[in-house]
Amino acid sequence: RLMALPAAFLALSFLLAGCGGDEDGDDTAEDPGSAAVATERPDREPTGVACEYPEDAVPAAKAVEPPPTDATVSGEVAVVLETTVGTFNATLDADTTPCTVNSFVSLADQNYFNGTGCHRMTTDGIFVLQCGDPTETGSGGPGYTFADEVAGTETYAPGTPATATRGPDTNGSQSLIP
């Protein structure tokens, strides 16, 4: 299942997207690359937006602290995803998805994504690069989840990043780029 974000994502917002599985793995590339993420946002003041990051039943794949429960980012947040197969520049929309962007920025600030392989690149039916799981299995996450901030009826343009989930309100660290 692929749910999408508002078009504010070429001024993007790393958000909710559920992702149908590759049960047999036949359409997964041998080496979709590894990734590191950097954000450019020097000011980190509480915004007054409350976020909840409850502990996930799936333990953290890599040691990380949960993000602040008072979002510390607003407006547009520049992001650079550096992979062995190319560099992607994006702008996250923290006004549309404050808790999602707050989590993503927190993980990037803690180097959670650095050295993490992109574990999935599908070319059968849908075209998606999926990254953000330090176990590189597609089942790892940061040890916490957060609620969906979009309706799930949005659509994606190619190159529009989104958060991969296991279902409603199971957002974590994984993202995909169609």
Side-chain angles (χ1 to χ4, degrees), residues 53-66:
Y53 301 101
E55 187 173 332
D56 192 356
V58 178
K62 187 175 181 180
V64 66
E65 294 293 321

Side-chain angles (χ1 to χ4, degrees), residues 36-50:
V37 177
T39 61
E40 298 174 18
R41 190 68 180 195
D43 56 325
R44 297 285 163 73
E45 297 295 324
T47 64
V49 175

Side-chain angles (χ1 to χ4, degrees), residues 21 24 55 71 124 139:
D24 61 7
E55 187 173 332
D124 185 23
S139 61

